[in-house]
Each structure stands twice: as C-alpha cells, then as structure tokens.
Amino acid sequence: MKALDALLQTPGLWRGNACAETAQPSVPSGYAVLDEQLPGGGWPTGALTEILLEHPGVGELRLLLPALARLSSEDRWLAWVAPPYIPYPPALAAAGLKMERLLWLRPDNHTDALWALEQALRSGACSAVLGWPATLDGKALRRLQLAAEEGRAVSLLFRPLRTAANASTAALRLALEPADGRLKIRILKRRGGNVSAPLLLDLPARTRGKNGESIGTAQASPAGGGMRAARAGKLRLVPHH
C-alpha cells in the first residue's frame, strides 16, 4: 500500500480522469469551462481538431470567435477553406477579427479543396486554418494531420456528425448541437481521455449586418471589408520570418 501511495504522488503520473499535460502551445478558447477540459487549456496547435455537426450554423463559428479574434492580431493568416457560406466581414469585424488577416479560399472542386487545406496547414503562414472538406478518408486525414504538425496552426475541420463513429487521427474531436438556446459540447476524443458529461455554453449573441446577415451569408456579397479572397489554385502562402 505504501508503494501505491508513493506512486500516486509522482508528479508525472497520468490519471484517467485528468486532462493530459502537453508541451504543445494552445490558444485559449475564451470559455473557461471549456478550457478546463482541453489539454493545454485551449485549442491545440500543431494537431487537427474536428468539430462535428448535424448541419452548419449551430453556433460553431461563434464558439471560435474569441480565439480567432485573438489570433487575428498576429502577422499570419486566418485561412477559411471552402466554407458553406460566404464570410460576412461586418459581422466578423464587430466580433473583433481583423479582416485584413482573413483569407477566404474558394476551391473549384473537392480535390482542390484538399490541396488548399494541406498547403495552408503546412505553410507556417497561418495562425488558424478552418476547413470544410466534403469528405475525408483515412489517408487524407493522415496527410492533413502531418501538415498540421508541420505548420503548427490551430487546425479546425468541420465535418458531419455521422462521421463520429469513424476512426480519426485528430487530437481533439468535439460534437456540437444546440440545446435550448445554448450550445452543447461533447468531447469525443482528447489527449488525456474522454469526459462523460457534456458541456453547456452560453454563446454571445449573433452579430448581424443591416440586412440581417450573420457571420456567414448565402448572399453573393463581395469579399470587401479588408478580407482577401482567392481561388484555391492560386494559393501560395509564405511564412513571415
């Protein structure tokens, strides 16, 4: 028994119900209750995070806005690859993002989207990469994970909730769904084990434009507002030194 007591006092001992400590830098999410459950105390860098949804618009971007606003102060890009809606600059700027750091990439097809995602993740020129791939198999996920490790950005993939049962190389997997005006977050995978109880977060109110547009809009508004837009085939990102 004394030997077991001594073992439990070992500082480096990992306990199954505790978050893993990690030397990899992380970015605070802006929500203390969520950061307490994330290894490193925030969104990991240099590793994939999967955000699984039944459909876009449940609050996933509002969840990320505090971290994205923080990252937009860096001299690197926030790359959005193939989002389902057109980013709406006035609403994003009102949430604190510096629009001159936002890069909206519009691939022509799925192959170009995967290529652009991998290039952005690997480049080292992005502080965050957000990608909405139509589909991903195991091989593509491994390539993106290796690219994320090299580029060391906050690397976020938005995928259908039905893929939750599939194996994944992502370091962190979250399932999001609305819950009576709040956002329910289930941590499906993290370094340090799973958690059983979901989290419920109160998100900030939606910031809208004069015509009711939110963070993303289906309307064909021009990029504007300082945001840069590019075809995926023109992507060439060079890190700052």
Side-chain angles (χ1 to χ4, degrees):
M1 184 63 73
K2 290 183 178 180
L4 178 59
D5 290 341
L7 177 62
L8 292 173
Q9 299 304 314
T10 303
L13 180 68
W14 174 73
R15 293 169 170 78
N17 62 347
C19 279
E21 294 183 1
T22 173
Q24 195 74 13
S26 60
V27 177
S29 70
Y31 302 90
V33 66
L34 176 58
D35 289 345
E36 289 175 359
Q37 299 296 332
L38 300 180
W43 301 113
T45 61
L48 292 179
T49 292
E50 283 188 281
I51 296 179
L52 309 180
L53 315 158
E54 192 69 53
H55 56 78
V58 302
E60 66 275 22
L61 290 181
R62 283 187 291 154
L63 173 68
L64 297 170
L65 285 177
L68 295 179
R70 176 193 293 260
L71 290 170
S72 72
S73 65
E74 298 183 7
D75 194 19
R76 296 194 293 168
W77 295 104
L78 304 174
W80 295 31
V81 184
Y85 299 108
I86 301 170
Y88 187 61
L92 293 169
L97 272 71
K98 295 183 178 179
M99 299 310 301
E100 63 271 23
R101 304 314 311 164
L102 201 155
L103 180 62
W104 169 34
L105 296 171
R106 300 171 296 160
D108 290 327
N109 52 57
H110 179 58
T111 300
D112 285 354
L114 287 184
W115 181 85
L117 253 179
E118 185 174 350
Q119 297 305 308
L121 288 168
R122 193 184 304 280
S123 68
C126 300
S127 57
V129 179
L130 288 69
W132 287 261
T135 60
L136 279 177
D137 58 21
K139 182 179 179 181
L141 265 174
R142 287 192 293 275
R143 287 183 63 91
L144 295 178
Q145 172 62 28
L146 291 173
E149 292 174 7
E150 187 171 337
R152 309 178 76 83
V154 173
S155 308
L156 302 155
L157 299 180
F158 300 88
R159 304 186 67 200
L161 185 59
R162 64 176 180 273
T163 64
N166 300 342
S168 173
T169 57
L172 178 65
R173 304 184 87 195
L174 306 179
L176 308 186
E177 57 185 301
D180 296 328
R182 309 176 79 185
L183 183 66
K184 184 163 78 173
I185 302 175
R186 290 184 291 130
I187 299 178
L188 306 179
K189 179 185 178 183
R190 65 174 184 177
R191 289 170 175 160
N194 295 335
V195 291
S196 55
L199 305 176
L200 289 172
L201 291 186
D202 292 311
L203 297 177
R206 296 178 186 272
T207 304
R208 296 185 180 276
K210 60 182 180 181
N211 296 320
E213 304 93 335
S214 186
I215 297 168
T217 174
Q219 303 301 314
S221 61
M227 180 176 67
R228 298 280 298 275
R231 311 297 294 185
K234 302 292 185 182
L235 180 65
R236 183 175 182 273
L237 296 173
V238 179
H240 293 271
H241 296 289

